[in-house]
Amino acid sequence: TVSQDDWRLHYHVMPEANWMNDPNGFCMWNGEYHLFYQHHPYSPEWGPMYWGHVKSKDLVHWERLPIALAPSESYDKDGCFSGSAIEKDGKLYLFYTGNQWTGPDQETDLKQVQCLAVSEDGIHFEKINENPVIDKAPDGDVHPFHFRDPKVWKKGDMYYCVLGSQTKNRMGQALLYQSSDLIHWEFVNILAKGQGNQGYMWECPDLFQLDDTDVLVMSPQGVHPEGDYYHNLHQSVAVMGHFHQDKGNFTSEKWQILDHGFDFYAPQTMLDEQGRRIVIAWMAMWESEMPEQKQDWAGAMTIPCILSIEKEKLRIDPIPELASLRYDPIRYQKLIVDQNKKLDGVHGDCLEMKVSIDAKEATKFGLNLRMNETGTERTNLTYYVDEEKIVLDRSKSGKGPGGVRKAPLALQNGKLQLHLFIDKSSVEIFMQNGEKVMSARIYPERDSTGIEFFSDAAIEMIQLEKWSLKQSV
Ligand code: FRU
């Protein structure tokens, strides 16, 4: 049996109670990180959206703040949907989507407009009188009401924003707007448009520069499975390309899935004072089973990660600040493992582990996480050498959703590097130093804390480091 708090996470942001989804308004203001989130404070189900609010000095320890936005006006009466934050003249502005249903049909009687709220203390926000600042979708091949999730930035003297949209015949696209004062917005262009299997609606777009590459991160809905790709109901992708500010368009060169696991959606990025591009996502998925709802809460954030580009590929690494949570280090070196092996001190439900494995002659090896005594409950990660593939299987993870996710992954000089974060109801697995990541919610029994290595022939654990992690949320 699982008690009330067994799945509450220890170092991932989640609401005190009730529902959350997308990260919103992720920014730095007056030297502190602020993070808001889509929140329904009255039940563990999605409902009229509010913005929950936390802040942090180090992206690890978070302080809860009062709800920042609540539906209160005719233009946002059915929800303050996703959006972003920006500083102007020392004040903190939230740019969000006002959601209204104008009739009984949730599909067609929908109106979405863009709105601003402002704060001088970073805690209390007031909606401005000029709202809605963008009161309808632009003309052209733009769906009239799926029009949401403004992400704003400043360049030179101008403010820009990208918005999620779809064409009239339901292909995902992103729109570009500009403004000199945050209040008067001019539609510039359709920034980018999907084709084929690129989703019917692009939610939560985010455009930024990494080195010399422009990156459009967004969350296309309704991408269809293709081989090992796109098995989630909705995906989070990064498109690398070039933003032509003069023309207001983005030419895309490469699509990359941001997370190959199950639970990573609506990511939002921010540039911090150290110049790092940090990303955080909702660690859940629409229409996924969420057993914690029976315990009166639902949803959490991923750990914050740093995005970078190497050899034209986007890399994703956990923020180094998380090391401040480590205690009880355990280390193994040059250890040969064949068949099934548990290591003294290597177990737990709230930990970080780095392991570098030389595959040697093995064709199949991996780990079982959150395993019970008998092995009937376990979350399985297996690497297949010949197929150059990694597989995360949560079909025996415990309660909640099962499923398998696969990702192509090559060994590097015969080696596999894994960097894992386990929390009370999650695993996040970074592979080959940030080349790929898989995030998943899992719902094991409290006592399922075992970690077991397995292999079909001798592998060498060149180095294994493991730390227990303190609670920070
Ligand atoms: C993405 C999303 C956004 C919307 C919000 C509503 O998960 O659907 O497009 O603004 O969630 O909660």
Side-chain angles (χ1 to χ4, degrees):
T1 55
V2 176
S3 89
Q4 196 62 14
D5 57 1
D6 283 344
W7 293 326
R8 294 281 295 169
L9 297 158
H10 277 200
Y11 56 94
H12 290 83
V13 173
M14 68 201 149
E16 244 171 334
N18 296 317
W19 171 272
M20 67 153 266
N21 54 287
D22 314 355
N24 294 156
F26 192 25
C27 68
M28 242 184 149
W29 188 71
N30 283 352
E32 292 180 308
Y33 295 94
H34 285 257
L35 176 64
F36 303 80
Y37 51 88
Q38 288 285 282
H39 183 36
H40 185 224
Y42 299 111
S43 93
E45 312 282 333
W46 189 83
M49 284 289 104
Y50 292 60
W51 279 34
H53 187 190
V54 289
K55 72 170 184 174
S56 171
K57 290 187 167 50
D58 61 1
L59 289 169
V60 178
H61 300 85
W62 295 92
E63 182 188 330
R64 290 188 194 283
L65 293 171
I67 281 177
L69 294 178
S72 65
E73 309 299 319
S74 56
Y75 56 77
D76 64 14
K77 70 178 179 55
D78 297 310
C80 300
F81 275 19
S82 284
S84 52
I86 194 162
E87 189 256 6
K88 179 177 179 267
D89 303 331
K91 296 176 191 160
L92 184 58
Y93 284 82
L94 304 182
F95 201 9
Y96 70 98
T97 296
N99 190 65
Q100 311 164 44
W101 276 291
T102 53
D105 188 334
Q106 293 226 340
E107 281 297 312
T108 55
D109 299 333
L110 179 67
K111 188 163 169 57
Q112 296 189 324
V113 295
Q114 316 314 322
C115 312
L116 279 173
V118 61
S119 173
E120 297 197 8
D121 62 4
I123 300 174
H124 305 94
F125 291 84
E126 246 177 72
K127 295 172 188 172
I128 68 165
N129 292 331
E130 293 86 344
N131 277 341
V133 293
I134 307 178
D135 66 357
K136 60 176 174 41
D139 296 333
D141 188 11
V142 179
H143 195 281
F145 50 75
H146 283 290
F147 175 57
R148 58 179 175 269
D149 311 337
K151 176 78 195 307
V152 58
W153 72 97
K154 192 178 184 193
K155 188 156 189 200
D157 290 336
M158 290 298 278
Y159 296 92
Y160 296 87
C161 117
V162 279
L163 272 157
S165 167
Q166 59 180 240
T167 64
K168 284 185 172 142
N169 64 359
R170 288 172 68 86
M171 270 308 301
Q173 63 184 357
L175 309 178
L176 180 71
Y177 277 75
Q178 67 180 27
S179 167
S180 57
D181 60 4
L182 274 186
I183 294 172
H184 302 90
W185 288 91
E186 181 196 341
F187 173 61
V188 181
N189 203 1
I190 293 173
L191 177 78
K193 195 187 278 228
Q195 49 186 318
N197 186 22
Q198 292 181 335
Y200 59 79
M201 169 72 197
W202 287 2
E203 297 190 305
C204 303
D206 188 348
L207 180 67
F208 54 89
Q209 204 178 359
L210 265 187
D211 304 329
D212 295 332
T213 307
D214 296 310
V215 184
L216 176 65
V217 161
M218 37 90 179
S219 300
Q221 289 185 289
V223 171
H224 305 294
E226 261 174 20
D228 294 335
Y229 288 115
Y230 309 133
H231 285 263
N232 289 333
L233 187 62
H234 308 305
Q235 276 296 335
S236 301
V237 300
V239 190
M240 274 148 289
H242 288 282
F243 172 42
H244 308 280
Q245 194 163 313
D246 48 334
K247 299 189 205 118
N249 75 352
F250 178 90
T251 44
S252 62
E253 277 152 26
K254 183 184 201 142
W255 269 55
Q256 194 178 322
I257 290 187
L258 261 175
D259 184 289
H260 294 259
F262 300 86
D263 296 297
F264 187 105
Y265 193 63
Q268 189 171 89
T269 76
M270 58 93 60
L271 189 66
D272 78 354
E273 284 168 1
Q274 300 171 44
R276 306 180 300 177
R277 180 59 59 174
I278 317 268
V279 64
I280 197 160
W282 176 36
M283 191 164 54
M285 182 56 64
W286 289 116
E287 290 166 48
S288 182
E289 204 186 328
M290 301 175 192
E292 75 261 39
Q293 284 176 317
K294 292 203 184 71
Q295 301 176 354
D296 296 329
W297 64 287
M301 295 289 175
T302 60
I303 54 174
C305 292
I306 300 173
L307 294 178
S308 59
I309 289 191
E310 209 183 282
K311 296 190 190 129
E312 287 155 31
K313 280 198 182 142
L314 197 71
R315 302 169 53 79
I316 179 161
D317 288 293
I319 50 157
E321 286 92 327
L322 286 164
S324 68
L325 298 179
R326 292 171 177 172
Y327 68 100
D328 278 354
I330 300 266
R331 177 192 282 231
Y332 286 89
Q333 265 170 318
K334 299 201 164 133
L335 194 80
I336 301 293
V337 170
D338 47 16
Q339 299 181 335
N340 294 41
K341 190 161 188 136
K342 290 184 184 164
L343 301 174
D344 278 351
V346 180
H347 55 82
D349 58 7
C350 195
L351 62 89
E352 176 185 354
M353 186 162 77
K354 279 183 163 181
V355 48
S356 160
I357 299 171
D358 189 326
K360 301 264 183 200
E361 304 298 310
T363 63
K364 181 182 164 188
F365 61 94
L367 312 86
N368 286 312
L369 308 166
R370 297 299 309 265
M371 191 166 100
N372 65 2
E373 282 291 319
T374 54
T376 50
E377 189 168 283
R378 60 182 189 269
T379 298
N380 177 277
L381 182 74
T382 305
Y383 187 76
Y384 294 88
V385 176
D386 296 336
E387 292 164 62
E388 300 199 305
K389 196 174 276 188
I390 192 140
V391 179
L392 177 65
D393 182 350
R394 64 172 181 182
S395 58
K396 294 192 171 68
S397 290
K399 300 235 166 21
V404 173
R405 290 291 179 271
K406 302 177 182 178
L409 189 76
L411 294 177
Q412 288 167 359
N413 302 321
K415 296 185 194 71
L416 177 66
Q417 321 264 5
L418 298 174
H419 189 177
L420 290 97
F421 288 82
I422 297 180
D423 202 343
K424 297 281 176 175
S425 57
S426 68
V427 293
E428 286 154 286
I429 304 160
F430 297 83
M431 303 155 190
Q432 304 299 46
N433 295 310
E435 191 185 313
K436 294 226 161 79
V437 59
M438 284 181 165
S439 303
R441 299 298 301 284
I442 52 167
Y443 301 91
E445 293 285 325
R446 180 200 305 171
D447 298 338
S448 303
T449 57
I451 295 182
E452 179 190 67
F453 296 86
F454 59 85
S455 176
D456 65 357
I459 52 172
E460 183 184 349
M461 212 95 79
I462 303 167
Q463 168 138 310
L464 179 150
E465 289 170 283
K466 178 245 157 184
W467 302 267
S468 299
L469 296 182
K470 284 181 262 182
Q471 185 161 8
S472 68
V473 174

